[in-house]
Amino acid sequence: MELIVNGESRQVSEQLTAAGLVEDLGLTGRRLAVEVNGELLPRSRFDQHHFNPGDRVEIVQAIGGG
């Protein structure tokens, strides 16, 4: 199925969870936020959230500084 991830089309399996997408992108263990179709997805739901074809996913990493 096709998702739009950070503005780019990406083919993924229909069983993919948000946690799986984060892992596929090499972002596991990082401080980040995932938004699906304009709504923030709580980190506690990453393992349970399955996508629908055409979902728009934005993944933003927190960058520390001072």
Side-chain angles (χ1 to χ4, degrees), residues 30-50:
R30 298 191 186 182
R31 294 181 54 188
L32 50 83
V34 176
E35 184 179 275
V36 180
N37 299 323
E39 294 193 26
L40 188 61
L41 180 65
R43 188 176 204 91
S44 62
R45 301 219 36 228
F46 282 14
D47 287 337
Q48 301 145 5
H49 182 83
H50 291 271

